[in-house]
């Protein structure tokens, strides 16, 4: 007779096998990182430029320079560019970030030549048409107005403002007047920053495709971006509740500055954050959602940017529950840094952390994302393996000391908008 | 091409195995043939509330999530108008834990009143967070009852109103469970680093003993053919006015589905599409515009929507949209356009198959039509659509008297 009350036996696997990337340095000095794998006839070619908001001298120039790349070249209009990508079923995804700008081309491998040639043309001769800029700006402003109606957007914005300062690239949110003042020549000027790049190629790649990719990116100019240091004042602890008329719920954000990926305590911090609010069985989810039903979801996470990291907890709750939710979150933070995590909970959190890290790498694109992280942060190839063993060996005493040092609620910024 | 094998247990559970030894994980997907279309009009939102209760402990296992997390697994679920779908990922060696957990909650739930009370609150917060506390969040709560007068697609999966969730009782919960959560009303797909023999053995072991249940045969009121245009105007506190127009179209497994899908792609997919080029780029009437098909099993909707530039009247915006639709119907699409949208669709299929979990979900959903192998025929069926099909289907669907229009006015 089957006994359904007894769980099946399981194994604890701590391996983490990333595809072995092949890094090729082209004649111009640019690296192309090949991550071959997968059985579908698809390829992703991602260029990462050291040209994010960090390098702006005029706010918004990185965002709009990136955004306008596919809106015109010396000989093609935005329509002609879109027409060609669409015709081949390819897709160009441009993501301007705080540190980097990413330009990713997704295509069927069999169609890569014409669409990659188009990408090359875009990168060699972008024209940044004035009218395209005006359109993009006006659409941006409307989207911004919509976002400003969302309590979650307002709360995240206020959180980064408070933590990094309004005039720091990580704390900055572009405003209407700033984007309106951008000109086509600002973008042409900022495009000079798009010279420090690395290419990540993942998916199905044959020899002919590889040769073509190498030749394409050899034609671009490669320079090293100048180091840029930006100073800021340490954030002060605040508690702020901002009323937003007509909202049904309030968005909460609590957190503090944290560390970047290369920091020796990084793995310990993210695992402590995992126990607190990193998965469905975490303490915050159990307490605030599963026991009290105060929210649809609550999370805690570490956001490691290139120059600094931060830790943040977020949730949406009914306005009348703001006080109790803050109190319960503080209670959980205090408990994490004062009481030992029970062994059974530790085992669950640990196995879940390791298992979900392993489960992330089921596609060549996911492998490429991990490899990209290692490359850009200059981390060793066995970084994730080491992270897993740190988590596996972490003791309850280490969790207490890590939480006490990095997740101490007494140093937190606490915000509610709604 | 997705290779798979299938078999059916004696209790009626349909099982599909898709072996992919290139990944180190295994995934398990269970689709229950129940969605919000199966709800009583006075008890809406129930299929989805029920999905939450499925995580509140089963007859022999007090907590669903913890044992799965302990073996390094992850899980989630979704409910829509047609199906409720549960899925999990584990390191391949621990797949039996998935069988154990999923089979126990198919056998029976704990029916703990406290779980109902908490999840009721959680779902009400979800209702508020996603549908009330977002600009444009209530659009579908308003558009559905406009487009559907009889068919249960007239309410959203989250429910018509919060009071329906507030009034749900434990008797409702039990009734719903025993009427829908049965092996003969489910499709199990196991994929990844597994073998057919292993899946067969584990399926027999864990799911085999669950008794078949009587499942009431679905008997939904079909939506009568629409004969006059419907119209709704709403004032909302949003920064930009928005336009919505929906047309009735065939369901997901109808032979004209692909033609309708490609038709909507011709209208708005990509920045070279007709609506985007004319209305966003050339005339600057809309700041965003899209059209899409709902892909529901019963006859669905083709929707055109967009936000207009400040100062543009929605009636004028509609005129502009109508003109483009009209031109497409009269002159037809071009050969190049058809090639383009087919290439886009083919590319989407290929990219969609990269992730093993997607392959598993697609197989489960396809099996609902009776034939899982439609996952491998899709590319061919898309290829077979002709310009004449596009025009014929377009003329059937994109008619004024088949449309429901909503003007969503920005009011400050």
């Amino acid at each position: 007779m089957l006994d359904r009350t007894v769980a099946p036996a399981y194994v604890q696997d701590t391996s983490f096998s990333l595809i072995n990337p092949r890094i090729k340095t082209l004649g111009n000095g640019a690296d192309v990182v090949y991550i071959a794998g997968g059985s579908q006839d698809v390829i992703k070619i991602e260029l990462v430029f050291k040209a994010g908001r960090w390098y702006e001298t005029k706010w918004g120039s990185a965002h709009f320079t990136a955004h306008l790349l596919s809106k015109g070249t010396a000989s093609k209009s935005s329509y002609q560019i879109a027409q060609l990508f669409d015709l081949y079923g390819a897709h160009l995804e441009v993501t301007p970030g705080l540190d980097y700008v990413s330009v990713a081309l997704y295509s069927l491998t069999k169609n890569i030549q014409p669409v990659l040639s188009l990408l090359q043309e875009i990168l060699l001769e972008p024209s940044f048409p004035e009218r395209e800029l005006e359109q993009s700006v006006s659409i941006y402003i409307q989207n911004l107005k919509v976002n400003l109606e969302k309590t979650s957007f307002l709360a995240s914005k206020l959180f980064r403002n408070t933590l990094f300062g309004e005039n720091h690239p990580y704390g900055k949110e572009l405003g209407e007047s700033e984007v309106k003042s951008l000109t086509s020549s600002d973008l042409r000027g900022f495009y000079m920053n798009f010279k420090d790049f690395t290419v990540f190629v993942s998916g199905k790649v044959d020899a002919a495709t590889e040769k073509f990719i190498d030749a394409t990116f050899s034609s671009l100019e490669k320079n090293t971006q100048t180091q840029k240091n930006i100073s800021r004042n340490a954030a002060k602890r605040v508690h702020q509740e901002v009323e937003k008329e007509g909202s049904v719920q309030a968005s909460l954000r609590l957190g503090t500055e944290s560390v970047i990926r290369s920091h020796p305590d990084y793995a310990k911090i993210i695992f402590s954050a995992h126990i607190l609010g990193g998965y469905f069985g975490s303490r915050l989810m159990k307490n605030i959602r599963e026991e009290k039903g105060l929210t649809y979801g609550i999370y805690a996470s570490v956001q490691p940017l290139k120059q600094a990291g931060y830790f943040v907890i977020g949730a949406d709750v009914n306005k009348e529950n703001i006080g109790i939710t803050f109190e319960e979150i503080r209670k959980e933070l205090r408990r994490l840094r004062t009481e030992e995590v029970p062994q059974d909970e530790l085992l669950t959190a640990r196995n879940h952390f390791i298992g979900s890290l392993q489960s992330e790498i089921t596609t060549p694109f996911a492998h490429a994302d991990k490899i990209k992280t290692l490359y850009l942060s200059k981390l060793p190839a066995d970084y994730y393996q080491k992270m897993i063993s740190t988590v596996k060996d972490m003791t309850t005493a280490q969790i207490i000391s890590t939480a006490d040092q990095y997740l101490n609620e007494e140093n937190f910024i606490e915000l509610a908008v709604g | 091409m997705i290779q798979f094998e299938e078999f059916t247990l004696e209790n009626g559970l349909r099982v599909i195995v898709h072996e992919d030894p290139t990944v180190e994980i295994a995934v398990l997907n269970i689709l229950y043939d129940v969605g919000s279309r199966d709800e009583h009009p006075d008890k809406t939102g129930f299929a989805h509330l029920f999905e939450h209760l499925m995580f509140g402990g089963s007859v022999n296992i007090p907590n669903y999530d913890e044992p799965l997390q302990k073996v390094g697994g992850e899980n989630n679920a979704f409910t829509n108008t047609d199906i409720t779908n549960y899925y999990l990922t584990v390191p391949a060696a621990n797949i039996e834990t998935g069988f154990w957990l999923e089979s126990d909650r198919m056998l029976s739930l704990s029916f703990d009143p406290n779980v109902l009370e908490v999840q009721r609150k959680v779902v009400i917060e979800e209702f508020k967070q996603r549908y009330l506390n977002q600009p444009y969040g209530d659009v579908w709560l308003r558009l559905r009852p406009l487009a559907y007068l009889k068919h249960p697609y007239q309410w959203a999966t989250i429910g018509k109103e919060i009071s329906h969730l507030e009034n749900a009782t434990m008797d409702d919960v039990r009734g719903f469970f025993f009427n829908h959560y049965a092996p003969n009303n489910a499709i199990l797909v196991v994929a990844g680093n597994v073998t057919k023999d292993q899946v067969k053995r584990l399926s027999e072991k864990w799911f085999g003993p669950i008794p078949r249940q009587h499942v009431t045969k679905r008997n939904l009121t079909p939506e009568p053919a629409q004969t006059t245009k419907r119209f709704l105007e709403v004032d909302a506190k949003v920064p930009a006015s928005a336009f919505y127009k929906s047309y009735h179209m065939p369901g997901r497994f109808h032979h004209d589905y692909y033609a309708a899908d490609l038709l909507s792609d011709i209208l708005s997919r990509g920045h070279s599409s007709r609506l985007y080029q004319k209305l966003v780029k050339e005339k600057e009437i809309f700041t965003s515009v899209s059209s899409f098909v709902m892909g529901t099993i019963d006859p669905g909707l083709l929707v055109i929507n967009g936000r207009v530039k400040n100062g543009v009247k929605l009636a004028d915006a509609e005129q502009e949209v109508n003109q483009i639709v009209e031109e497409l119907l009269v002159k037809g699409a071009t050969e190049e356009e058809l090639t383009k949208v087919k290439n886009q669709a083919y590319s989407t299929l290929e990219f969609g198959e990269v992730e093993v979990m997607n392959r598993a979900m697609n197989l489960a959903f396809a099996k609902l039509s009776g034939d899982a192998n439609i996952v491998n025929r899709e590319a061919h069926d898309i290829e077979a659509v002709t310009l004449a099909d596009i025009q014929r289907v377009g003329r059937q669907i994109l008619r004024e008297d088949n449309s429901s229009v909503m003007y969503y006015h920005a009011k400050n």
Side-chain angles (χ1 to χ4, degrees), chain A residues 175-303:
Chain A
E176 195 171 328
S177 60
E178 284 152 345
V179 297
K180 271 186 176 156
S181 79
L182 285 165
T183 65
S184 182
S185 88
D186 290 333
L187 308 191
R188 265 191 291 277
F190 192 77
Y191 191 61
M192 293 304 167
N193 286 289
F194 279 60
K195 294 214 165 76
D196 193 343
F197 69 97
T198 304
V199 186
F200 300 88
V201 181
S202 50
K204 196 175 258 185
V205 195
D206 53 40
T209 306
E210 183 167 332
K211 208 172 150 198
F212 189 71
I213 292 170
D214 292 348
T216 302
F217 295 113
S218 297
S219 70
L220 302 183
E221 194 185 331
K222 160 83 164 85
N223 276 327
T224 304
Q225 176 72 278
T226 326
Q227 278 285 92
K228 184 179 174 189
N229 297 313
I230 300 172
S231 62
R232 68 193 153 90
N233 302 325
K236 289 199 181 65
R237 195 203 160 194
V238 296
H239 177 96
Q240 196 182 350
E241 296 182 16
V242 182
E243 175 87 19
K244 182 175 181 305
E245 203 197 321
S247 70
V248 182
Q249 290 173 317
S251 296
L252 272 50
R253 297 289 181 272
L254 297 86
T256 184
E257 184 171 348
S258 195
V259 302
I260 59 174
R261 283 198 172 89
S262 55
H263 191 281
D265 289 338
Y266 182 74
K268 289 185 187 140
I269 298 169
I270 59 169
F271 182 56
S272 303
H274 193 73
I275 296 171
L276 179 75
Y279 69 115
F280 196 86
S282 68
R283 292 178 166 195
L284 291 174
M285 274 298 257
K286 272 192 179 147
N287 179 346
I288 315 284
R289 172 176 148 141
E290 292 299 297
E291 277 166 33
K292 302 199 173 65
L294 293 170
T295 186
Y296 175 49
I298 181 162
Y299 65 87
S301 69
V302 177
Q303 301 294 328

Side-chain angles (χ1 to χ4, degrees), chain A residues 64 67-68 71 132-141:
Chain A
F64 284 92
H67 191 69
L68 266 278
K71 303 292 180 196
E132 294 284 347
L133 176 61
E134 279 165 29
Q135 284 188 344
S136 292
V137 163
S138 105
I139 291 171
Y140 184 92
I141 289 170

